[in-house]
Amino acid sequence: MKRALLWLPAVAFVGLIALLASGLFTPADRTVRSALIGQPLPQFALPPIVAGMPGLASSDFGKGEPRLINVFASWCAPCITEAPVLMQLKQAGVKIDGVAVRDTAPALERFLERNGNPFERIGSDVNSRLQFALGSSGVPESFVIDARGRIALQHVGDIKAEDVPAILAAIRDAR
């Protein structure tokens, strides 16, 4: 029995090393599990911010087709990186609406001229009320809204090219 106890520190050390190694080599699950998944969009009505484009309201959703809401801003560096990917999603047939957070019309118009405009509607969320109601704490952030107007997916951070298949699958599943 005493002899077996002599091996206990070595076994504990090997176990600790195995635990640390599995933590280092297993990718972290960075999926955000929003409490709003499956819930209807909050009621809102955002005024337009870009001349010639409509604003955005909760009544625009739940009309039988899924849509993507992108929470963004002209002052957001990752939003510039995300812009070509949003154009790619638009070309794939995804209907995209924008929520411009704490932005101004001139700055947003310059942003859209430089980076493209994938949006059908853009609402001005000057006080971040909708952003916070959606559970979003930063920009960019995107939400797939299903055909019934319910939140189907929350994507935190900029949508990268490698995220496009998952976004397209969520849009397909949200019909």
Side-chain angles (χ1 to χ4, degrees):
M1 180 70 175
K2 266 186 162 180
R3 200 167 191 188
L5 289 175
L6 289 174
W7 288 97
L8 188 59
V11 170
F13 179 74
V14 169
L16 179 66
I17 294 298
L19 180 67
L20 291 174
S22 72
L24 288 175
F25 297 111
T26 305
D29 182 8
R30 300 190 191 278
T31 305
V32 174
R33 312 232 188 279
S34 171
L36 296 178
I37 300 298
Q39 300 296 315
L41 268 176
Q43 295 293 313
F44 66 92
L46 300 177
I49 188 168
V50 175
M53 290 189 73
L56 188 64
S58 52
S59 60
D60 296 325
F61 298 89
K63 296 184 175 178
E65 68 175 348
R67 304 186 70 87
L68 184 72
I69 294 178
N70 181 249
V71 180
F72 76 110
S74 65
W75 44 262
C76 158
C79 297
I80 295 169
T81 305
E82 182 184 53
V85 180
L86 291 178
M87 294 301 288
Q88 181 184 355
L89 287 169
K90 178 183 178 182
Q91 290 171 350
V94 175
K95 308 286 186 189
I96 305 172
D97 298 306
V99 174
V101 174
R102 298 179 187 262
D103 220 325
T104 64
L108 192 60
E109 288 172 2
R110 284 191 302 272
F111 175 87
L112 296 173
E113 285 174 15
R114 276 193 311 265
N115 302 298
N117 184 356
F119 305 107
E120 292 190 4
R121 300 177 213 133
I122 302 175
S124 177
D125 192 13
V126 174
N127 298 321
S128 297
R129 281 195 181 140
L130 177 59
Q131 180 189 22
F132 294 146
L134 289 170
S136 169
S137 59
V139 290
E141 199 160 323
S142 299
F143 298 85
V144 172
I145 310 302
D146 73 11
R148 297 178 302 156
R150 296 181 181 272
I151 299 170
L153 175 80
Q154 180 178 7
H155 180 90
V156 177
D158 54 319
I159 298 174
K160 296 179 172 72
E162 60 264 23
D163 300 321
V164 168
I167 298 291
L168 291 174
I171 292 285
R172 243 186 339 269
D173 293 344
R175 294 189 191 279

